Amino acid sequence: MPSPHKLAISGGSPARNRPFSTWPVFGKFEEKRLLRTLHSGKWGRLQGEETAEFEKRFAAAHGCEHGIAVVNGSVSLRIALIAAGIQSGDEVIVPPYTFFSTAAAVIESNAIPVFADIDLNDFNLDPKAVERAITPRTKAVIPVHFAGQPADMDRFTALAKKHKLVVIEDAAHAHGAIYGEQKAGSIGHFGSFSFQSSKNMTAGEGGIITTNDNGLAAACRSIQNCGRIPGGLWYEHHVISSNYRLGEFQSSVLLAQLDRLESQTKKRDANGQYLASRLSRIPGIYPQKRIPGCTRHSYHLFMMRLVAAEFGLPRNRVIKALQAEGIPCSAGYGFSLHHQPIFQNKAFGPYLSDSRARLDYSKTECPNSDLICREQGIWLDQSLFLGPRRDMDDIASAFEKVFENRECLNREAFA
Ligand SMILES: Cc1ncc(COP(=O)(O)O)c(C=O)c1O
């Protein structure tokens, strides 16, 4: 009989031998709406009513007057940048600890991504680092609400006012998150959300831009729809743009997903806070610090730092041991965005040909992001947080078990 005290990786029985909640969550609501759309024969944005309804309801749920649904949460960033009037060679400040798209969208708008470091404890763009990165060419900043915790938006709003910057919230992780009394996506000039498969609400793919500015909304809508304008002719195109419209089937699924968002977000937040309180008692484990302005965290990811010298084991060994215990987890990004080959080699295709010579991303320094990528970051996925509280207890127990067996695991590694 395998011992419950011995680590599963060393032949003991795992701390968790049942699956966690699976993702995506769907049911008869998605099915009903999808079938209704199918039978309507109105499958395109311009014929049906699903996308129009989804845009209204999602925007309202996020404190915004306008929602412009698009094909994903990458082009949503690009459309926002172009709608804001970003021009060739303008600089846009982004974090290095985020998905590729946050910076790639800047290049695809022919503008220059400038990386400013993140805070070591809350993992979001550090306003002080942003201030240091501002130059006369800086025109916008993209704070990412990383993992689902709102960035320190009061500070970014103040900086933006002072330096006349456009603020685009990358809220790809932050459906339903709240900062103070404001919903994520309603604080900057624009919010940008993703509905890709892993996200807290999904239709497989999809995205939306949110804004409270009528002029910016009209500009986004035109760029999303081949440069058309209200009242214009079908073959009349006013600005550089494309067909970025979201289809009706995806909107049918998203309308059903939106109905689940409030209760799912509350659950993830309660479970996330509880797990953070348990894990922070273990030496060397530092769950993402909750900033005072975070009223609701959407926990797209539960993130933590593991300090190997305090825990007694390096991250890769802890992750392998946890996985063997039945806890799905990963190290997340392996290196900061500016270390990616695209930036080191300036592989920007047709973009930035005028500014490329003066760019040198080998000189970018973001030590906090580097440390988290290379040594300390551990991620748990949002779907784990949709189960009962005892699931959190199982995760915490597995961490505790690995910690208690750290010396044994270290001896085995060197045997
Ligand atoms: C922070 C962030 N921004 C933008 C995106 C891009 O979204 P999409 O995959 O829908 O293009 C992602 C997706 O993973 C993301 O994590």
Side-chain angles (χ1 to χ4, degrees), residues 71-77 97-103 142 144-147 170-173 192-199 204-208 300-301 333 379:
V71 291
N72 58 54
S74 302
V75 293
S76 50
L77 291 166
Y97 196 81
T98 177
F99 184 61
F100 167 64
S101 297
T102 314
I142 310 184
V144 178
H145 301 314
F146 198 80
D170 185 343
H173 299 180
S192 166
F193 293 83
S194 162
F195 306 119
Q196 172 268 346
S197 303
S198 69
K199 299 301 187 292
E205 304 289 355
I208 197 167
H300 172 58
L301 298 167
Y333 307 128
W379 292 5

Side-chain angles (χ1 to χ4, degrees), residues 260-280:
R260 304 172 195 281
L261 183 67
E262 185 66 15
S263 66
Q264 287 179 337
T265 310
K266 280 184 178 155
K267 185 152 215 179
R268 289 188 190 97
D269 192 23
N271 275 334
Q273 290 196 62
Y274 174 69
L275 183 64
S277 74
R278 282 208 54 182
L279 292 186
S280 51

Side-chain angles (χ1 to χ4, degrees), residues 85-389:
I86 297 300
Q87 293 294 311
S88 168
D90 285 350
E91 293 177 2
V92 178
I93 299 177
V94 296
Y97 196 81
T98 177
F99 184 61
F100 167 64
S101 297
T102 314
V106 177
I107 293 172
E108 285 195 313
S109 311
N110 215 22
I112 299 170
V114 173
F115 295 97
D117 208 357
I118 55 167
D119 182 277
L120 190 57
N121 298 310
D122 68 34
F123 313 136
N124 271 331
L125 199 49
D126 176 357
K128 290 194 291 300
V130 170
E131 188 143 34
R132 284 195 296 275
I134 290 173
T135 73
R137 290 174 193 262
T138 309
K139 294 290 170 342
V141 57
I142 310 184
V144 178
H145 301 314
F146 198 80
Q149 166 158 248
D152 198 346
M153 292 308 294
D154 283 350
R155 312 260 308 270
F156 291 116
T157 307
L159 270 182
K161 270 208 179 111
K162 185 169 159 200
H163 297 276
K164 297 195 170 53
L165 307 180
V166 172
V167 180
I168 301 171
E169 297 170 60
D170 185 343
H173 299 180
H175 318 73
I178 306 176
Y179 175 81
E181 290 179 2
Q182 292 171 287
K183 305 276 172 60
S186 71
I187 310 163
H189 296 88
F190 303 91
S192 166
F193 293 83
S194 162
F195 306 119
Q196 172 268 346
S197 303
S198 69
K199 299 301 187 292
N200 289 20
M201 48 179 287
T202 183
E205 304 289 355
I208 197 167
I209 305 152
T210 51
T211 182
N212 275 310
D213 184 302
N214 295 343
L216 293 177
C220 289
R221 194 162 295 291
S222 181
I223 297 167
Q224 167 242 32
N225 187 19
C226 304
R228 296 190 174 98
I229 55 167
L233 300 172
W234 179 246
Y235 292 119
E236 186 184 319
H237 310 280
H238 288 253
V239 288
I240 185 66
S241 50
S242 188
N243 172 5
Y244 297 116
R245 300 183 303 263
L246 189 71
E248 292 289 281
F249 290 119
Q250 282 161 303
S251 297
S252 295
V253 174
L254 288 169
L255 277 160
Q257 296 270 298
L258 184 59
D259 286 338
R260 304 172 195 281
L261 183 67
E262 185 66 15
S263 66
Q264 287 179 337
T265 310
K266 280 184 178 155
K267 185 152 215 179
R268 289 188 190 97
D269 192 23
N271 275 334
Q273 290 196 62
Y274 174 69
L275 183 64
S277 74
R278 282 208 54 182
L279 292 186
S280 51
R281 294 182 213 147
I282 303 173
I285 300 283
Y286 296 93
Q288 180 179 31
K289 185 180 156 202
R290 198 169 171 115
I291 61 166
C294 178
T295 308
R296 190 156 76 185
H297 191 314
S298 59
Y299 280 106
H300 172 58
L301 298 167
F302 182 99
M303 250 206 86
M304 70 197 91
R305 284 194 302 124
L306 175 129
V307 178
E310 297 171 26
F311 189 89
L313 282 170
R315 173 179 66 175
N316 60 351
R317 223 167 294 151
V318 174
I319 288 176
K320 281 203 179 110
L322 286 168
Q323 286 167 343
E325 294 299 331
I327 310 300
C329 57
S330 76
Y333 307 128
F335 40 96
S336 299
L337 215 40
H338 55 282
H339 292 305
Q340 290 280 358
I342 170 183
F343 293 105
Q344 292 300 310
N345 302 329
K346 295 186 268 184
F348 301 150
Y351 302 107
L352 291 180
S353 44
D354 291 345
S355 344
R356 208 172 295 187
R358 68 183 168 85
L359 300 179
D360 183 359
Y361 287 100
S362 70
K363 296 207 175 94
T364 300
E365 284 185 16
C366 296
N368 292 342
S369 172
D370 288 346
L371 183 67
I372 295 168
C373 289
R374 290 186 179 142
E375 290 178 32
Q376 298 192 340
I378 299 183
W379 292 5
L380 301 169
D381 190 73
Q382 53 93 4
S383 61
L384 307 191
F385 295 82
L386 290 174
R389 180 165 280 198

